[in-house]
């Protein structure tokens, strides 16, 4: 069996180029392992080979972040690795950011795993935790002798496709990705046992720690609604009949943008809902119930609003992930601003 | 209140001349069942069998029902539907354990729920392990969707009740006994044990999202108290199946695992005082009213703790968090049972509402996980619905008959009663 191919990313210091005075060097490659890569190769043994080391100065990387990512990625890709190891970066902020950015570029573009090592307070972790399995290290290179074996061991497990235990068992910091598992006991029994522990004041572990919610403060009121251009945006799934964009009935991965040019009323012949999460009978009979085009056209006629924007946007807010919802919102808001829309009526179901 | 459950183990199902149980085999007389289901609202009814391990796919599934027969005590099974509305939960009830009725047919735009009897999908649904009588119903021309749903729901309940007659006189394999004491007696008998109730949230959001209690649409109830044994006699039945992974079928209600597992510790580690049922309506006023009543009942029962189970996701997450925080603020410790919608990559936040007081969570897993179900030799129902069901997407159904979907589309995959051994962790 051929060995797994690994590329190692290091900064100028660990890449044995020099200290802060060399922090401005652009990325370059050395064949084989360098510096801590030597010890790492010893841990990887005969199963995997560090075929090359990519080195970049921390200042250069952070001051040219897009170019640095692209160049480092290209150098790494040239070696066709099965896995990339970055760092460890310990508590060096710029190095941590660089390792994280490399991890992001590699995982997104090459689709291969990245193992790194970092001190939990390094800002690079917060920014890039999702893109690498970061082994928890001490704050300085003094912890190199514990960091490298942990990183090497994890790298081998990942390369061989072995089943991984919980992050704490494997020694890496959770990436924030929810993974389904099968447990020994059914959920109801786990719930009863958790409740008994909670009642007795004993320790228990919640299976889902509560997330932090971002709350959005409303904008100030419109100064003059009779001059305002108003847009309609809905998560209630109202789409032209036939659902031309095939928006999913649940877990939407997309939204649609549809013309309201010349439309004064939505009818059972023209529009319907794509939403699978509520009784669709009434929305399908008259989609104005969810997307009130008829009323807004009347208000427009009466001069009570300036105008109704000529497009509406629709998606399905049924089990749709927050990440997707945020992306839709950013894109839709950008277009609405470009189109000079003053206010939006958001309808849900 | 004391209920004895007699379980008759069923290991196979076959059509036969007479509906009866013999040596673990449930024989089904087709004509007898069809006669019991006759309904002007349905133009045709077909019966099929699906056994564990067979290359069979059933979709879209409306409900799954376990056949139970009341042989002693007041009332009958499924009060308010099949039987009159006498109070149930006392006496003796026989169960055809391992058998189930599965209803299928078209109803609205988004047809829900897959059961694969073998292959990787079978791991995700408990109904790949039951011997199923599948009832496929087609509506009479011009029948409205709400009426159609009611007719199919009734057909499933009647089929289960008719089938359950086979339990009469059959040899019982195992007896279980459940007792619910009144509050005063319970406290007298178990003065030192913490008083625990089960807060049982019922989906009540409209067509295909409804639940019924003694025949009453749960949208129209105020939170109330049930003896756990009433649930075992079919006091709660399902009218919902959309996003089938976390909807409680009637089978789940009859076999509620939270009730079973609380009973296992009853009298030893806790005093299980009863079940508070509440709903998940869509308006804010309803949510506030129902969670207020739930918290008030919990306080009047002098609870120390409660397990709260959600049904569904998204909108009901707000009901879940309201119930949890209102109990916690009264000093009643809670554990909540939910599932997650963390995105196909698992990287998104899992719930639509959250609160730091919800510090004890049990999860049924991430419903957005994607799975490919290989083709099956036989499909009962309408496979082409794969592209539009919740959890499916354009292109879900491939030419060879395989289906790539989120596990959301599989009946009971992330059940929030804790029926399964699935969970999730952060990696």
């Amino acid at each position: 069996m051929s060995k797994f191919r690994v590329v190692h990313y290091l900064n100028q210091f660990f890449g044995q180029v020099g200290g802060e005075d060399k922090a401005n060097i652009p990325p370059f490659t050395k064949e084989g392992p360098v510096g801590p890569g030597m010890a790492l190769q010893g841990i990887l043994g005969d199963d995997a080979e560090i075929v090359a080391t990519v080195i970049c100065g921390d200042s250069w990387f952070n001051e040219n972040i897009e170019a640095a990512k692209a160049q480092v990625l290209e150098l790494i890709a040239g070696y066709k690795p099965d896995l990339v190891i970055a760092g460890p970066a310990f508590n060096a902020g710029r190095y941590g950011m660089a390792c994280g950015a490399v991890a992001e570029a590699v995982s997104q573009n090459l689709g291969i795993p990245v193992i790194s090592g970092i001190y939990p307070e390094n800002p690079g972790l917060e920014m890039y935790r999702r893109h690498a399995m970061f082994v928890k290290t001490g704050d300085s290179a003094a912890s190199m002798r514990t960091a490298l074996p942990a990183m090497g061991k994890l790298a081998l497990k990942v390369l061989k496709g072995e089943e991984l235990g919980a992050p704490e068992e494997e020694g890496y910091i959770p990436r924030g990705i929810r993974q389904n598992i099968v447990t020994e006991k059914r959920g109801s029994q786990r719930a009863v046992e958790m409740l008994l522990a909670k009642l007795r004041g004993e320790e228990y572990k919640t299976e889902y720690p509560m997330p932090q919610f971002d709350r959005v403060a409303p904008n100030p009121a419109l100064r003059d609604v009779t001059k305002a251009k108003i847009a309609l945006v809905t998560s209630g799934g109202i789409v032209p009949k036939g659902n031309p964009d095939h928006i999913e009935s649940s877990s939407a991965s997309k939204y649609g943008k549809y013309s309201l040019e010349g439309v004064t009323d939505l009818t059972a012949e023209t529009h319907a809902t794509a939403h699978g999460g509520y009784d669709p009978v009434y929305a399908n009979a008259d989609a104005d119930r969810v997307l009130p085009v008829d009323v807004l056209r009347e208000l427009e006629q009466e001069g009570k609003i300036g105008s109704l924007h000529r497009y509406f946007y629709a998606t399905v807010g049924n089990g749709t992930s927050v990440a997707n919802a945020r992306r839709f919102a950013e894109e839709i808001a950008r277009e609405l601003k470009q189109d000079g829309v003053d206010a939006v009526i958001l309808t849900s179901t | 209140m004391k209920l004895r459950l007699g379980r008759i183990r069923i290991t196979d199902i076959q059509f036969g001349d007479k509906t009866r149980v013999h040596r673990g085999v449930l024989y089904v007389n087709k004509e007898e069942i069809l006669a019991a289901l006759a309904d002007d609202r349905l133009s045709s009814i077909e019966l099929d069998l699906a056994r564990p391990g067979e290359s069979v796919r059933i979709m879209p599934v409306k409900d799954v029902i376990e056949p139970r027969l009341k042989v002693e005590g007041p009332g009958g099974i499924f009060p308010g539907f099949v039987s009159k509305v006498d109070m149930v939960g006392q006496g003796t009830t026989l169960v055809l354990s391992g058998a189930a009725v599965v209803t299928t047919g078209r109803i609205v735009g988004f047809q829900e729920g897959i059961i694969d009897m073998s292959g990787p999908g079978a791991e995700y649904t408990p109904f790949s392990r039951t011997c199923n009588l599948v009832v496929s119903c087609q509506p009479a021309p011009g029948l409205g969707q709400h009426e159609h749903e009611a007719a199919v729901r009734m057909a499933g309940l009647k089929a289960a009740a008719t089938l359950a007659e086979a339990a009469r006189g059959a040899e019982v394999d195992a007896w279980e006994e459940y007792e619910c004491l009144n509050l005063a007696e319970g406290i007298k008998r178990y003065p030192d044990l913490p008083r625990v109730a089960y807060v049982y949230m019922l989906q009540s959001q409209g067509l295909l999202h409804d639940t019924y209690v003694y025949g009453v649409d749960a949208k129209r109830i105020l939170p109330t108290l049930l003896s756990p044994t009433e649930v075992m006699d079919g006091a709660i039945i399902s009218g919902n199946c959309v996003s089938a992974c976390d909807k409680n079928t009637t089978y789940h209600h009859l076999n509620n695992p939270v009730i079973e597992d609380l009973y296992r510790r009853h009298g030893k580690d806790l005093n299980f005082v009863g079940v508070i049922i509440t709903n998940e309506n869509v308006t804010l006023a309803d949510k506030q009213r129902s969670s207020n009543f739930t918290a008030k009942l919990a306080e009047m029962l002098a609870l120390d703790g409660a397990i709260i189970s959600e049904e569904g996701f998204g909108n009901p997450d707000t009901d879940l968090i309201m119930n949890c925080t209102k109990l916690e603020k009264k000093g009643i410790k809670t554990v909540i049972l939910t599932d997650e919608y963390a995105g196909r990559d698992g990287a998104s936040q899992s719930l639509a509402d959250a609160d730091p007081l919800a510090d004890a969570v049990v999860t049924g897993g991430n419903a957005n996980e994607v799975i490919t179900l290989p083709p099956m030799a036989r499909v009962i129902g309408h496979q082409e619905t794969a592209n539009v069901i919740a959890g499916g997407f354009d292109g879900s159904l491939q030419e060879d008959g395989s289906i790539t979907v989120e596990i959301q589309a599989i009946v009971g995959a992330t059940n929030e009663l804790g029926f399964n051994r699935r969970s999730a962790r952060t990696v």
Side-chain angles (χ1 to χ4, degrees), chain A residues 130 164-167 172 174-196 198-200 204 206-208 210-213 215 246 248-251 253 273-282 318-319 321-323 349, chain B residues 108 110 145-146 196 207 209 242 257-258 260-261 264-265 269 304 307 313 328 333-335 340 345-355 358-363 365-366 368-369 388-390 392-394 406-408 417-418 420-427:
Chain A
R130 214 152 267 172
L164 294 178
Y172 75 94
R175 288 164 290 182
I177 293 168
R178 297 294 285 169
Q179 178 194 57
N180 284 344
I181 51 168
V182 173
T183 54
E184 210 175 293
K185 297 166 182 168
R186 65 181 181 180
S188 52
Q189 192 185 345
R190 304 200 305 268
V192 172
E193 288 174 3
M194 196 183 288
L195 182 65
L196 287 172
K198 193 170 168 177
L199 284 166
R200 291 167 181 159
Y204 63 90
T206 182
E207 294 179 6
Y208 181 64
M210 284 290 119
Q212 293 289 324
F213 265 65
R215 305 273 172 198
H246 306 286
E248 297 87 345
S249 61
S250 178
S251 307
S253 67
T273 182
H275 200 294
Y278 66 97
D279 180 347
V281 172
Y282 307 105
N318 182 27
S321 71
V322 175
T349 45
Chain B
V108 201
F110 313 106
Q145 287 161 323
H146 294 92
V196 172
L207 182 59
H209 294 79
V242 175
V258 178
E260 289 179 6
D261 286 337
R264 268 188 198 120
R265 310 298 282 263
D269 301 301
D304 297 298
I307 289 177
F313 60 94
E328 288 281 343
K333 295 197 162 57
T334 63
V335 170
E340 303 180 43
D345 60 1
S348 211
Q349 157 190 303
S350 297
L351 297 175
D353 199 5
D355 192 281
D359 60 2
V361 182
V362 169
T363 172
N366 178 19
N368 295 131
E369 182 188 300
V388 292
I389 59 176
F393 38 85
D394 201 27
E406 296 183 3
I407 61 169
Q408 186 182 168
L417 303 176
N420 308 323
R421 286 167 50 225
R422 192 156 294 103
S423 177
R425 64 182 178 192
T426 302
V427 298

Side-chain angles (χ1 to χ4, degrees), chain B residues 165-182:
Chain B
E165 286 294 333
R168 208 179 289 281
E171 200 181 318
V172 171
D173 294 295
W175 286 104
E176 293 163 14
E177 197 171 290
Y178 298 96
E179 189 179 18
C180 182
L181 300 171
N182 72 37

Side-chain angles (χ1 to χ4, degrees), chain B residues 272-293:
Chain B
F272 182 20
V273 300
V275 179
I276 300 172
I277 55 165
T278 181
N279 52 17
E280 300 174 349
N281 286 10
V282 289
T283 70
L284 183 60
D286 280 327
K287 289 176 188 299
Q288 288 170 334
R289 186 185 308 110
S290 289
S291 55
N292 287 343
F293 269 74

Side-chain angles (χ1 to χ4, degrees), chain B residues 103-122:
Chain B
T103 50
T104 178
R106 294 169 171 282
I107 292 187
V108 201
F110 313 106
Q111 312 287 337
E112 307 308 315
I114 301 172
I115 295 173
D116 276 2
M117 298 305 290
S118 59

